[in-house]
Amino acid sequence: MGKPTGFMEFQHLSEAYEATDQRLKHYREFIITLSDAHASVEGARCMDCGIPFCNNGCPVNNIIPDWNDLVYRGNWKQALDVLHSTNNFPDFTGRICPAPCEAACTLNINNDPVGIKSIEHAIIDKGWEMGWIVPQPAQAKTGKRVAIVGSGPAGLAAAQQLARVGHDVTVFEKNDRIGGLLTYGIPDFKLEKLHIERRIEQMEAEGVSFRTGAMIASKELPAGIVSDASEFISAEQLTSDFDAVILAAGAEVPRELPIPGRDLNGIYPALEFLIPQNREVSGGKANPISAKDKHVVVIGGGDTGSDCVGTSYRHGAASVTQFELMPQPPEQENKALTWPYWPLKLRTSSSHLEGNTQRKFAIATKEFLGEEGVLKSLKTVELDWKDGKMNEIPGSEKTVQADLVFLAMGFLSPVGGLLDAFGVDKDARGNAKATTDGEGCYATNAAKVFAAGDTRRGQSLVVWAIREGRQCAREVDSYLMGDSTLPR
């Protein structure tokens, strides 16, 4: 906790944003971290609430009241140690996590919650600034070799944990840079790649090896998947060369919209727009898809859709419209009913505020319309939702102008034939079948093959991926050594 009476004395202090007209000129982060003084005040608002529901609201079970109190008292180094005890990469979560911990904050019942995410952001930035974050190599090697397929947050978390207890870890990534969708999916204005790069340097100093451009199991990729793999490695080779294999390749196959006109030029899965843009920002070739002066429609109301909105505005789009199949949620949740759980409510991202975004709810796209093979508009219909079922409203059909459409309706399963190549059983959604509790959790049916993150649970949050990577690392360590000292 912070100051016992702090929640009554101090108003919530939010992080500031760079002015919209300025941040639209670049792709750098634009959120201004809390000053030490402001972070201390926000930490002081943490209540002596008896049961810290924020801990359970956080997927990695961050020990939030402790580091709130330490920041309030100015003990930044100790706060960093507490933060790192449960989370390998607060540099990522402090920027892009939606903060379910704040929804669970006791103060959120009738007030603004403690700005937990902003304090986390301040702690990790202070840690790098002061040089407190250094490699932690193992004191002794075990001689065991672990292969990790995928270098997103789950794969990186597992790799760091396993390397720190002495295993030789190699991470395989199909793209030319490490980080998975942290690097190529999330725009730099939300997460600059410096934060990933210095973690990679730390992990290399801890003994982790990285192999980029390495595609495991399959040379064929589904439509909408971007990769520059130059090396193809069979599942048999991987299981032969390593003592354990962790599949943490994410769930990157996009959900499609198979309606008339889908083959028109101008319709793209979201990552076909976002990945080339991140490559351009990092010094690569120009994004072949330009939204400049175009009327953009983003189909899908989640984070990926929001990223398409913000990127389109930076291109100079003439207009941006976002469609959501579900009805518009309330602007304010009924806290008496939803707390401490993640509430259903209208969420407006910083990208939505960067232009005159038209957000349309309870709307379905029926057909793409074009001329000479080029998209010109789309036909929509309004929906009426009753008892969880949607029904089209007769006479509500409209035509909406569109030069570009980005499909951001979520992701389905791991790419290629990854799971099939290893002989891994799948769940009903096509993800790796593995439990997270009991004996042998995170282990698949295939000998010495484990699965974690979106590959196992399906599309989810970065913080869930980190949790699963850490927990899977403990299970792999126990499998290899008979027991484990890693935290679960």
Side-chain angles (χ1 to χ4, degrees):
M1 59 166 289
K3 187 178 180 182
T5 56
F7 70 96
M8 295 185 291
E9 297 176 30
F10 305 119
Q11 295 296 312
H12 172 59
L13 296 172
S14 301
E15 293 175 313
Y17 289 0
E18 181 183 357
T20 301
D21 61 338
Q22 293 300 311
R23 69 184 194 240
L24 285 179
K25 297 176 182 178
H26 61 76
Y27 287 85
R28 299 185 302 275
E29 291 177 14
F30 54 79
I31 294 177
I32 302 169
T33 310
L34 293 179
S35 67
D36 290 6
H38 285 173
S40 177
V41 169
E42 193 60 26
R45 297 180 67 242
C46 186
M47 305 171 66
D48 185 11
C49 58
I51 299 175
F53 288 91
C54 56
N55 287 12
N56 289 331
C58 173
V60 293
N61 302 121
N62 277 329
I63 311 170
I64 294 164
D66 293 46
W67 43 260
N68 280 343
D69 181 71
L70 290 164
V71 167
Y72 161 58
R73 300 179 188 282
N75 297 329
W76 289 87
K77 176 65 167 64
Q78 193 175 350
L80 179 68
D81 292 341
V82 173
L83 180 55
H84 269 146
S85 70
T86 56
N87 186 353
N88 295 69
F89 309 119
D91 358 28
F92 309 158
T93 53
R95 288 170 164 81
I96 59 176
C97 181
C101 54
E102 293 186 16
C105 174
T106 302
L107 190 55
N108 189 45
I109 294 174
N110 63 351
N111 203 331
D112 291 327
V114 175
I116 298 167
K117 179 179 173 181
S118 63
I119 296 174
E120 178 180 6
H121 188 180
I123 293 171
I124 192 61
D125 282 9
K126 172 72 75 173
W128 284 110
E129 176 189 343
M130 300 301 293
W132 294 331
I133 302 171
V134 296
Q136 301 176 38
Q139 295 182 349
K141 288 289 189 177
T142 65
K144 301 293 185 179
R145 304 184 69 212
V146 181
I148 297 178
V149 181
S151 68
L156 293 179
Q160 186 165 65
Q161 294 293 93
L162 289 166
R164 287 178 173 178
V165 291
H167 301 307
D168 291 318
V169 180
T170 302
V171 177
F172 296 86
E173 168 57 49
K174 71 179 185 296
N175 285 307
D176 61 345
R177 295 176 66 193
I178 296 298
L181 292 185
L182 290 170
T183 293
Y184 278 138
I186 298 173
D188 284 62
F189 56 79
K190 290 176 64 175
L191 179 70
E192 289 186 35
K193 308 319 168 194
L194 158 71
H195 307 297
I196 304 166
E197 291 163 0
R198 57 189 180 189
R199 284 297 184 181
I200 300 309
E201 292 176 5
Q202 179 195 31
M203 293 173 65
E204 286 177 330
E206 293 170 345
V208 178
S209 298
F210 294 97
R211 286 174 64 174
T212 57
M215 188 72 188
I216 307 300
S218 175
K219 294 185 180 182
E220 300 297 327
L221 288 175
I225 301 299
V226 181
S227 173
D228 45 25
S230 58
E231 178 184 13
F232 298 92
I233 304 169
S234 69
E236 292 78 12
Q237 181 181 338
L238 220 58
T239 52
S240 172
D241 292 349
F242 291 86
D243 298 296
V245 177
I246 297 176
L247 304 182
E252 205 176 329
V253 176
R255 182 175 282 108
E256 257 296 346
L257 187 59
I259 60 175
R262 173 61 183 88
D263 58 345
L264 291 169
N265 290 329
I267 307 165
Y268 304 93
L271 291 183
E272 287 192 18
F273 178 52
L274 297 176
I275 290 177
Q277 187 58 50
N278 281 7
R279 286 180 167 158
E280 177 183 333
V281 172
S282 67
K285 296 180 180 178
N287 190 341
I289 304 171
S290 173
K292 183 174 176 58
D293 299 327
K294 293 182 179 178
H295 297 283
V296 177
V297 173
V298 178
I299 300 178
D303 288 339
T304 303
S306 175
D307 294 343
C308 290
V309 170
T311 302
S312 295
Y313 282 132
R314 282 162 178 76
H315 277 211
S319 70
V320 179
T321 303
Q322 188 171 21
F323 289 171
E324 171 57 60
L325 202 63
M326 300 300 292
Q328 181 172 334
E331 293 190 13
Q332 180 62 56
E333 75 273 27
N334 184 334
K335 293 184 179 182
L337 293 177
T338 61
W339 180 89
Y341 301 107
W342 184 249
L344 176 66
K345 67 176 183 178
L346 182 65
R347 302 180 190 278
T348 300
S349 73
S350 57
S351 292
H352 293 136
L353 300 175
E354 290 174 345
N356 185 27
T357 310
Q358 300 297 309
R359 303 173 70 184
K360 299 182 181 296
F361 294 87
I363 188 167
T365 304
K366 298 289 290 180
E367 183 178 0
F368 296 114
L369 306 172
E371 297 175 6
E372 299 180 355
V374 178
L375 176 72
K376 294 297 180 182
S377 61
L378 43 80
K379 186 182 296 184
T380 67
V381 64
E382 294 179 18
L383 302 173
D384 179 36
W385 286 85
K386 287 184 178 179
D387 300 324
K389 297 180 180 180
M390 66 178 190
N391 300 286
E392 296 182 4
I393 300 175
S396 66
E397 295 83 359
K398 291 182 181 178
T399 299
V400 178
Q401 182 180 4
D403 303 308
L404 274 178
V405 168
F406 297 122
L407 306 178
M409 303 173 295
F411 302 90
L412 299 174
S413 57
V415 302
L418 180 68
L419 301 184
D420 291 336
F422 284 92
V424 171
D425 288 345
K426 303 174 187 177
D427 63 17
R429 297 181 298 167
N431 301 309
K433 193 174 183 179
T435 65
T436 59
D437 53 18
E439 185 177 352
C441 59
Y442 290 98
T444 70
N445 63 293
K448 67 182 183 182
V449 178
F450 297 75
D454 290 6
T455 294
R456 191 205 66 82
R457 68 179 289 117
Q459 178 193 5
S460 191
L461 304 176
V462 166
V463 68
W464 273 106
I466 294 172
R467 171 198 174 104
E468 295 220 346
R470 287 172 60 89
Q471 291 185 345
C472 184
R474 177 183 169 85
E475 297 306 315
V476 170
D477 185 37
S478 182
Y479 164 77
L480 295 173
M481 308 302 293
D483 197 6
S484 179
T485 58
L486 287 171
R488 193 176 194 281

